[in-house]
Amino acid sequence: MGNITVTAANVATVGIANVVEGQAAAAITAGQVVYKNTSGTRALAQSDGTAIESGTLGLGIAVNSAPGVGQRFDIQISGQFNPGGTAASGVVYAVSATAGLIALASDISSGQYMSILGVGASAAAINLSIYASGSTV
């Protein structure tokens, strides 16, 4: 079915959300999935990289953009958020094989890491309940 198509300007927290500040390891756009790397900065997460790149040290959604290396930005780690694209109620979402994107958990292929982001609450919201398994499918 593919990844959620994100419009960065539409990404937002919904209601009560747990948001932390991070430092970018590269350019980050609002709505992208980020992981904490071994140096403590944030980079684009992906399911077909390493366990760390799939989020085992920390995972979240960029709430705003960071135009380059070293820039500070906000990362939502729990609560409900508008992904800036169309979600579906009851659907489980995960880190995509494409760096920074959100995919259906059912789209994660053999050999890729399963990192759950949450469950769709409506067409415009996902309930974040992050679980980076560190295990491949």
Side-chain angles (χ1 to χ4, degrees):
M1 189 159 179
N3 300 310
I4 292 179
T5 301
V6 174
T7 301
N10 295 339
V11 173
T13 61
V14 176
I16 298 171
N18 189 358
V19 177
V20 298
E21 186 179 71
Q23 186 174 5
I28 306 286
T29 302
Q32 290 187 308
V33 184
V34 295
Y35 74 96
K36 182 185 276 187
N37 61 27
T38 55
S39 67
T41 60
R42 304 292 180 132
L44 298 178
Q46 60 186 43
S47 64
D48 65 350
T50 66
I52 291 173
E53 290 171 331
S54 73
T56 57
L57 296 180
L59 196 58
I61 305 294
V63 177
N64 51 15
S65 299
V69 175
Q71 298 292 309
R72 309 294 284 175
F73 69 107
D74 295 325
I75 304 155
Q76 187 169 344
I77 57 173
S78 68
Q80 198 172 85
F81 81 104
N82 180 334
T86 304
S89 183
V91 173
V92 178
Y93 291 96
V95 173
S96 173
T98 304
L101 299 185
I102 300 170
L104 300 175
S106 59
D107 286 348
I108 305 305
S109 301
S110 178
Q112 295 177 351
Y113 288 90
M114 179 58 76
S115 294
I116 301 296
L117 295 172
V119 178
S122 70
I126 294 174
N127 290 322
L128 276 182
S129 184
I130 295 171
Y131 176 68
S133 71
S135 298
T136 57
V137 174

